[in-house]
Amino acid sequence: MTFESFSLRPELLEGIRLKNYVEPTPIQKQCLPHALQGRDVLGQSKTGTGKTAAFALSILQDLLNHPEPPTGANRFRALLLAPTRELAHQIAQEMDSFARLTPFKGLVITGGNQDMEVQEHALRLGGDYIIATPGRLQDHLRKRYLDLSQVRHLVLDEADLLLEMGFISSIKAITSHVPERRQTYLFSATLPPAIQQLARELLLNPVRIQVDDTTTPDLLLESVYPVPAHQKSELLRELLKNADLESAIIFVRTRNRANLLAQELLRTDLVCEPLHAELPLDDRLATLQRFRNQQTRALIATDLAARGLDIPHVSHVINFELPDDPSDYVHRVGRAGRAGRPGVALSLVAPSELILLGKIEHFTHKRLKEHKHPDFHYEEEISSGDEKIRPGREHKLGALNNRGFKKGPVENPFTKAGGVRKKYQVVSMDEELQKSKRKRVKIRKKLRHQR
């Protein structure tokens, strides 16, 4: 199947050709035939599957088939909602690239340090499609100079993140201004009950499209590097010396960690920049543009960069710190190995992160292979991943490491020094049965991220 199979207008086919798209992705093959017929779409897909093109091409095709402009100023014919400013701008870039040979005009409305008066002037002029974050768009709607009564298409992208960020009330307020007779697209990486309820409220007899969201890209090589927490920075510098590493996104948990790690790597002459929500929007967009232009070799990012961003040349994703939510791991590593390209995902795992690693393996249904860097001096003895030390019960969560355990004393698979066992004392099943007759394993001290 090719893009010509969908009977797209010549203007759009030329835009696709200029983007060097050759063959539609699976979600595009499933979505476009229904979307082009006007059906509502409920899509569940993992990251990097090309869903933006799926709804963008459908919307632009309909606008070309109905060329009459919206009646009056300050009106638009398509509304696309995104959870973050970065994703809104990326969707706008995709839409504009497909629409480059059409007369259509789009507008991006996001919050942050963007001038409300400048946005108000642009909204009053109107256009064909608008890409917005819900909070700022609702602010403009309250002032009653934005008219959504001509909207033919409504898109909610990354809907689970929209709800997670608390935009549910804004979404309902905005959709109350949109005509009931419209085509609605709702795309989400996961479909929890809240998303399913929202879909029932907003979509009419939708076609449901699902691409497995618990798996990582097929061409992605994933591995784990066990390392003591205080040696992570040193090991990271060794890994970044790899000649095959063209560009990398290094994920951390907090903004402060991103800033500190970026400063530390800059002292080693590595061209890198931090990326997190505390930075002004203009600075974040400029940082992303420099990274896209390969002026920056690495981004030190929080999970702000884990969803939606499409940067084709990313060769490596490095988890300097594992995320609390295993689904965030899938989104993170999906920044590499996109659209059929090979990629590498490395995770630096300290002994205290074993529970998080176990949850990730349980979620993705795969065992991540351990590696030991040959040129790096470890201050503590690291295991080789021998199955005798780390039994392979991949899909059943066990004791401290959540990666399965055997009878007798529980050994930490990353170190034989016993230091971790002193901090997180574990009682084996046999000992526990003798003492309290309870058939379980106890951990006597919570990990820091659980406090």
Side-chain angles (χ1 to χ4, degrees), residues 264-306:
E264 186 175 347
L265 293 177
L266 282 170
R267 289 196 292 268
T268 65
D269 297 328
L270 177 76
V271 183
C272 65
E273 295 186 72
L275 181 69
H276 52 74
E278 198 173 61
L279 297 171
L281 177 61
D282 290 343
D283 291 347
R284 287 170 13 210
L285 294 177
T287 296
L288 284 171
Q289 191 57 47
R290 286 191 290 271
F291 187 62
R292 285 192 174 96
N293 295 339
Q294 296 183 278
Q295 297 171 276
T296 302
R297 190 180 177 214
L299 287 182
I300 317 298
T302 61
D303 284 321
L304 171 74

Side-chain angles (χ1 to χ4, degrees), residues 47-68:
T47 185
T49 55
K51 61 181 183 293
T52 303
F55 61 74
L57 292 171
S58 172
I59 291 171
L60 294 171
Q61 175 90 342
D62 181 72
L63 298 184
L64 285 169
N65 291 338
H66 301 84
E68 68 277 2

Side-chain angles (χ1 to χ4, degrees), residues 351 380 412 415-424:
E380 297 178 15
N412 188 299
T415 175
K416 301 175 185 176
V420 174
R421 291 184 61 196
K422 292 178 182 177
K423 188 174 182 180
Y424 305 103

Side-chain angles (χ1 to χ4, degrees), residues 110-352:
T110 63
N113 61 346
Q114 301 302 292
D115 193 307
M116 284 283 289
E117 292 185 3
V118 173
Q119 291 181 347
E120 177 182 344
H121 177 71
L123 287 168
R124 288 185 184 278
L125 295 177
D128 296 288
Y129 53 89
I130 176 173
I131 302 101
T133 50
R136 177 52 64 93
L137 188 68
Q138 190 179 17
D139 292 340
H140 287 292
L141 280 171
R142 290 193 186 104
K143 298 187 177 182
R144 301 188 178 185
Y145 50 73
L146 172 60
D147 188 347
L148 299 178
S149 63
Q150 302 294 317
V151 168
R152 297 171 57 89
H153 302 271
L154 172 65
V155 177
L156 275 70
D157 196 16
E158 302 287 354
D160 53 347
L161 189 55
L162 282 168
L163 266 63
E164 187 179 309
M165 296 177 67
F167 285 130
I168 182 64
S169 59
S170 297
I171 291 171
K172 292 183 177 180
I174 291 169
T175 53
S176 67
H177 293 269
V178 178
E180 291 187 5
R181 294 189 61 182
R182 63 175 188 263
Q183 184 178 17
T184 306
Y185 312 75
L186 189 153
F187 287 93
S188 180
T190 59
L191 293 178
I195 293 293
Q196 297 180 37
Q197 177 60 35
L198 183 65
R200 285 191 290 270
E201 295 175 9
L202 299 182
L203 279 66
L204 178 63
N205 189 27
V207 57
R208 181 166 175 170
I209 297 167
Q210 184 171 4
V211 179
D212 187 9
D213 71 305
T214 66
T215 59
T216 51
D218 296 333
L219 298 180
L220 189 69
L221 179 63
E222 301 170 77
S223 57
V224 169
Y225 281 80
V227 61
H230 65 279
Q231 285 193 284
K232 278 192 175 186
S233 298
E234 187 180 350
L235 177 57
L236 176 63
R237 290 194 294 270
E238 288 295 325
L239 293 171
L240 291 174
K241 293 177 182 178
N242 185 352
D244 295 331
L245 193 151
E246 300 175 12
S247 59
I249 301 180
I250 302 167
F251 282 102
V252 295
R253 287 188 186 175
T254 66
R255 306 167 187 176
N256 186 50
R257 171 66 73 181
N259 290 331
L260 292 175
L261 187 58
Q263 292 172 10
E264 186 175 347
L265 293 177
L266 282 170
R267 289 196 292 268
T268 65
D269 297 328
L270 177 76
V271 183
C272 65
E273 295 186 72
L275 181 69
H276 52 74
E278 198 173 61
L279 297 171
L281 177 61
D282 290 343
D283 291 347
R284 287 170 13 210
L285 294 177
T287 296
L288 284 171
Q289 191 57 47
R290 286 191 290 271
F291 187 62
R292 285 192 174 96
N293 295 339
Q294 296 183 278
Q295 297 171 276
T296 302
R297 190 180 177 214
L299 287 182
I300 317 298
T302 61
D303 284 321
L304 171 74
R307 298 287 284 268
L309 295 183
D310 184 13
I311 305 174
H313 62 76
V314 174
S315 62
H316 287 63
V317 166
I318 300 177
N319 289 300
F320 186 83
E321 297 171 316
L322 292 181
D324 288 317
D325 189 336
S327 64
D328 289 337
Y329 171 85
V330 176
H331 295 302
R332 284 181 178 189
V333 301
R335 298 308 100 203
R338 297 176 67 83
R341 304 179 185 93
V344 177
L346 311 177
S347 297
L348 311 187
V349 181
S352 61

Side-chain angles (χ1 to χ4, degrees), residues 227-228 231-232 234-235 238 372-379:
V227 61
Q231 285 193 284
K232 278 192 175 186
E234 187 180 350
L235 177 57
E238 288 295 325
K372 185 175 180 181
H373 197 290
D375 301 323
F376 183 72
H377 172 69
Y378 293 89
E379 294 181 7

Side-chain angles (χ1 to χ4, degrees), residues 26-37:
I27 195 169
Q28 292 164 4
K29 293 176 183 178
Q30 295 179 59
C31 179
L32 278 170
H34 301 286
L36 291 169
Q37 293 175 6

